[in-house]
Amino acid sequence: MRVPSIRPLAIALLSTALLAGSPAFAQSREAAPLSPAALEEAAQLRERAAQDGTAYALIESLTTEIGPRLPGSEADARAVAWAKARFEALGYDKVWTEPVTFPKWERRSEHAAVVGAYAQPLVITALGGSPAGDVTAELVRFDSIAALEAADPATVRGKLAFLDVPMARSRDGSGYGAAGPVRGRGPSIAARKGAAGYLMRSISTSPHRVANTGITRFDADVTPIPSAALSLPDADQLARLLTRGPVQVHLALDVGWNGEYTSQNVIGELTGREAPDEIVLIAGHLDSWDLGTGAVDDASGVGITMAAGHLIAQLPQRPRRTVRVVAFANEEQGLLGARAYAEAHGGPEIIAKHIVGAESDFGAGRIYGFNTSAPAGQRATSDAIAEVLRPLGIDYLQDKGGPGPDISPLAAKGGAWGWLGQDGTDYFDLHHNANDTLDKVDPDAVAQNTAAYAVFAWLAAESEAGFGSATKTEETPEH
């Protein structure tokens, strides 16, 4: 790997010392129960981690030896065994698994084509949760969810509903949330109006002819219909064809639910030297969709957090609190591993013991921002972490961020979160499609991520202050 272009160790330590002399930083150090030795250890850890290749090696191993990891597949079981073995080899004190049971969805074959005068193949992929079906029908296009909701059922009944809604590119991924209802709600709305099937413009920013999958759920009061996503060029092609007159499309999907499967959350732990029952949690998710090899979503997150814990394990002593790294099962079909973990570990008696959690699940771009959910009056540790992260090019953005997907079930119960915001400008070029492969992962950016997670986990675990975790009752947001 290339050595990241960051300061040599001696210069970085001098920089940290100078920052410590500033009034703002001095106030943070006075308020935060972190010793000068802990802050110096964190700066040294940052420099070692930023030049370490462990995370990239783990990403390469997972994507090469296991490949795509669809929940419930044979590769899912091999991925669990892989993660357990890697945790053990990386020097974790404890390694174990916890079961996660869910319905198993399978993709066997998929095909679509325009038929008639303008006959041509289409690049599509079935949405996770779609049933099987073979439909040839006229296409009816809508440019928004609102337009589909407002449509007279007579104009939709027996046809293929085509929702053609573009996604905006953004660094923070905000365009994904705005476009999400196209996949999440669109199929049920179309089914309720009597559509024979559903096609949608992929929730994607890729200019390439690849389609993006993802989970959908049908409302209980509708009969599910075959549902698939089109590549962006194919969605554009259908829109152009519709200006020429009616368009007939053949959609054939051999997919669907097939029994139940039990996978595992895989957990590695470094036991705290003074407060082993207090937990700082960092995580990624082990599963992926089946079109690429899940390199950015989320082998990168697994490699980054596993390597961060490994580097902490190499320090002269364990941190004061426990550092726990979780490779969650089946995030892609509804945060199912995370929900199982929160059910097992999020009771009123222990939620406050989960001091803070952070997940790497937004690709492998460089981290540009940091924040936590710590309330005013409890931000001294966050302030100190932010200063040590600054030489990595990470800004302290106190009005940004939120819990990662797999942290959200704990956050809904009152757990505090940390946010290490990755640059996702290009993430949705790859997300859930066949181009999510190892060649898109930058080793230097992965090393910067690993350094940030190592610093965050070490200082959060070494501090005697909390981040505001406290039991509450609240529903977990839908994925």
Side-chain angles (χ1 to χ4, degrees):
M1 65 172 290
R2 300 185 301 279
V3 176
S5 57
I6 64 173
R7 306 176 187 186
L9 178 58
I11 295 176
L13 289 176
L14 175 59
S15 173
T16 301
L18 290 172
L19 284 168
S22 71
F25 191 63
Q27 183 178 3
S28 290
R29 283 184 55 178
E30 183 180 354
L34 283 164
S35 68
L39 294 170
E40 182 173 338
E41 187 77 77
Q44 294 177 358
L45 175 63
R46 177 192 67 214
E47 299 305 312
R48 287 195 302 272
Q51 300 183 64
D52 186 83
T54 302
Y56 184 81
L58 289 165
I59 299 164
E60 189 276 341
S61 174
L62 179 56
T63 57
T64 302
E65 297 165 25
I66 310 300
R69 304 168 297 284
L70 188 69
S73 67
E74 178 271 340
D76 185 327
R78 289 193 291 118
V80 167
W82 176 93
K84 189 170 183 292
R86 291 308 183 278
F87 273 127
E88 291 168 348
L90 289 169
Y92 284 78
D93 301 330
K94 298 177 184 176
V95 180
W96 73 96
T97 63
E98 296 178 354
V100 182
T101 300
F102 48 83
K104 181 172 68 172
W105 184 85
E106 296 177 338
R107 186 193 316 274
R108 293 174 287 272
S109 67
E110 50 197 20
H111 169 78
V114 176
V115 296
Y118 301 110
Q120 56 190 278
L122 297 169
V123 173
I124 57 102
T125 187
L127 300 182
S130 172
D134 193 315
V135 175
T136 301
E138 183 179 340
L139 206 66
V140 55
R141 177 181 176 273
F142 301 92
D143 62 5
S144 69
I145 279 280
L148 176 59
E149 289 179 316
D152 183 342
T155 66
V156 181
R157 190 174 299 115
K159 297 182 181 178
L160 275 170
F162 168 35
L163 205 53
D164 191 12
V165 180
M167 175 188 170
R169 186 183 295 274
S170 61
R171 183 168 72 163
D172 65 359
S174 55
Y176 184 62
V182 175
R183 192 180 73 216
R185 295 176 49 224
S188 287
I189 298 170
R192 189 172 291 110
K193 291 180 180 290
Y198 181 81
L199 287 174
M200 57 170 278
R201 183 185 189 91
S202 284
I203 302 178
S204 175
T205 54
S206 174
H208 301 295
R209 207 174 179 201
V210 289
N212 298 49
T213 189
I215 196 71
T216 193
R217 295 179 186 80
F218 288 89
D219 295 341
D221 64 334
V222 303
T223 300
I225 57 176
S227 299
L230 292 148
S231 80
L232 304 197
D234 286 81
D236 291 340
Q237 182 81 328
L238 286 181
R240 287 190 295 269
L241 285 171
L242 283 165
T243 66
R244 289 161 165 79
V247 174
Q248 293 267 327
V249 170
H250 176 221
L251 174 66
L253 304 179
D254 182 9
V255 299
W257 301 104
N258 184 15
E260 280 196 339
Y261 182 85
T262 297
S263 187
Q264 307 286 328
N265 288 332
V266 188
I267 303 170
E269 188 169 277
L270 303 175
T271 305
R273 69 178 188 274
E274 294 179 11
D277 61 336
E278 295 183 4
I279 297 159
V280 171
L281 189 151
I282 57 175
H285 67 84
L286 193 55
D287 64 306
S288 78
W289 287 104
D290 52 327
L291 305 179
T293 60
V296 303
D297 184 20
D298 187 32
S300 291
V302 170
I304 287 161
T305 53
M306 273 189 172
H310 163 68
L311 289 161
I312 292 170
Q314 294 181 321
L315 296 176
Q317 64 177 357
R318 293 292 186 257
R320 199 180 71 80
R321 293 170 169 141
T322 290
V323 172
R324 181 176 290 176
V325 182
V326 183
F328 282 110
N330 202 349
E331 184 269 352
E332 295 293 2
Q333 295 177 7
L335 315 179
L336 301 182
R339 293 175 189 272
Y341 181 92
E343 183 69 23
H345 300 276
E349 71 284 359
I350 58 173
I351 189 64
K353 296 293 187 181
H354 277 73
I355 302 303
V356 67
E359 182 180 26
S360 175
D361 184 21
F362 196 45
R366 287 183 177 271
I367 292 171
Y368 66 88
F370 166 71
N371 194 15
T372 75
S373 62
Q378 297 187 52
R379 296 196 65 88
T381 302
S382 302
D383 296 345
I385 292 170
E387 290 297 338
V388 182
L389 292 178
R390 197 174 303 279
L392 294 169
I394 298 172
D395 293 329
Y396 195 13
L397 304 177
Q398 297 187 54
D399 60 343
K400 301 291 184 182
D406 287 312
I407 302 301
S408 63
L410 285 175
K413 291 177 176 288
W417 50 262
W419 172 71
L420 294 153
Q422 293 159 305
D423 188 333
T425 302
D426 299 327
Y427 179 65
F428 291 101
D429 290 355
L430 310 170
H431 180 255
H432 294 182
N433 72 39
N435 277 340
D436 182 2
T437 49
L438 182 66
D439 54 299
K440 314 308 188 305
V441 177
D442 178 1
D444 293 350
V446 166
Q448 185 253 16
N449 275 250
T450 304
Y453 269 89
V455 165
F456 167 78
W458 162 255
L459 287 178
E462 186 64 15
S463 175
E464 294 183 4
F467 292 78
S469 287
T471 302
K472 67 177 179 180
T473 302
E474 184 176 319
E475 290 296 318
T476 304
E478 284 296 321
H479 177 54

